Amino acid sequence: GGIITQTPKFLIGQEGQKLTLKCQQNFNHDTMYWYRQDSGKGLRLIYYSITENDLQKGDLSEGYDASREKKSSFSLTVTSAQKNEMAVFLCASSMDRGRAEQFFGPGTRLTVL
Amino acid sequence: GDSVTQTEGLVTLTKGLPVMLNCTYQTTYSPFLFWYVQHLNEAPKLLLKSSTDNKRTEHQGFYATLHKSSSSFHLQKSSVQLSDSALYFCALSVTGGLSGKLTFGEGTQVTVIS
């Protein structure tokens, strides 16, 4: 088996601040994903990456950057945090793009003051 | 574009009763459907998946059948337990589309009471 680790678990930022969330997986999966989960809503795809150094925009990429430095890690940057923003950011990975099961990390809970 | 609709946002029911969570989808490509379950403060986990038309798939007492004729993949359980209280997501992947990403429904929050 494997595991997905997300850091930090809780992130508190200030309006306008640039914030970085990190994700590591040891499944040796090719594809990794970043989702945003708002309270009472479904998961919305921000970015995904099918291999090292690849980046693909999801439906919610505006306001975010991402980086796939190596196969096992995928970072997400909130370029300018919005005041009163609260959401959970979930990282996931899968063996291939879409057809295989996606395994999720525990999430990073963001609060912007 | 592709979409998934879950009509129930909140479902509350008594332990031991049956449950059905609705999921319908829209796509012009060949569909692959998933059900994920997310317990409070935990990561979503795969519950069921299917791409075979009219074949029932089962796991942990839950079951679903993909019906391409009606574009549906409803989740059912014959007798819910307190531990089934969770957020349930239906998700769609397609082959032949421009990307292989999953499209999620809004989710159904299930609360089981004793």
Side-chain angles (χ1 to χ4, degrees):
Chain A
I3 192 169
I4 295 181
T5 305
Q6 291 188 239
T7 55
K9 190 173 176 67
F10 298 96
L11 182 57
I12 299 176
Q14 302 289 329
E15 183 182 14
Q17 193 176 1
K18 186 174 177 180
L19 303 167
T20 298
L21 294 69
K22 294 187 180 296
C23 176
Q24 296 266 353
Q25 54 98 359
N26 63 2
F27 288 101
N28 199 34
H29 285 163
D30 290 317
T31 308
M32 295 186 73
Y33 310 80
W34 275 108
Y35 292 94
R36 176 181 167 126
Q37 183 176 27
D38 291 277
S39 180
K41 291 190 180 290
L43 279 63
R44 291 182 287 174
L45 183 65
I46 305 172
Y47 269 97
Y48 67 102
S49 167
I50 61 173
T51 189
E52 184 179 333
N53 294 319
D54 174 74
L55 286 177
Q56 307 284 339
K57 290 184 178 181
D59 300 320
L60 202 67
S61 61
E62 188 171 337
Y64 302 93
D65 286 328
S67 174
R68 183 88 181 270
E69 306 90 358
K70 50 186 179 180
K71 188 175 183 179
S72 62
S73 68
F74 194 28
S75 300
L76 180 73
T77 298
V78 180
T79 55
S80 179
Q82 301 299 303
K83 188 174 176 63
N84 297 323
E85 181 175 7
M86 284 183 64
V88 175
F89 291 85
L90 291 167
C91 176
S93 70
S94 69
M95 283 182 62
D96 62 28
R97 204 163 26 130
R99 308 298 285 178
E101 175 183 356
Q102 288 188 20
F103 292 84
F104 286 82
T108 292
R109 188 174 296 273
L110 171 67
T111 303
V112 181
L113 302 176
Chain B
D2 302 329
S3 66
V4 174
T5 302
Q6 293 181 245
T7 51
E8 307 94 359
L10 291 168
V11 171
T12 302
L13 64 163
T14 304
K15 182 178 70 173
L17 290 181
V19 66
M20 185 170 87
L21 306 183
N22 291 311
C23 173
T24 56
Y25 63 91
Q26 284 190 321
T27 182
T28 55
Y29 300 100
S30 180
F32 200 114
L33 273 295
F34 301 79
W35 275 102
Y36 281 84
V37 58
Q38 184 180 26
H39 288 92
L40 188 63
N41 296 323
E42 293 185 10
K45 294 178 185 175
L46 179 68
L47 185 57
L48 293 171
K49 63 180 180 181
S50 180
S51 62
T52 306
D53 199 12
N54 297 319
K55 182 180 178 183
R56 176 165 151 159
T57 182
E58 300 186 38
H59 184 62
Q60 296 182 337
F62 288 90
Y63 58 95
T65 303
L66 176 60
H67 292 297
K68 292 184 180 180
S69 61
S70 58
S71 299
S72 67
F73 190 55
H74 306 319
L75 181 67
Q76 296 180 263
K77 190 174 186 183
S78 57
S79 175
V80 294
Q81 304 303 309
L82 295 174
S83 57
D84 294 328
S85 295
L87 187 55
Y88 292 80
F89 292 104
C90 184
L92 165 71
S93 175
V94 298
T95 53
L98 297 178
S99 72
K101 65 186 177 71
L102 282 180
T103 300
F104 282 85
E106 294 272 306
T108 298
Q109 179 67 53
V110 173
T111 302
V112 180
I113 58 176
S114 57

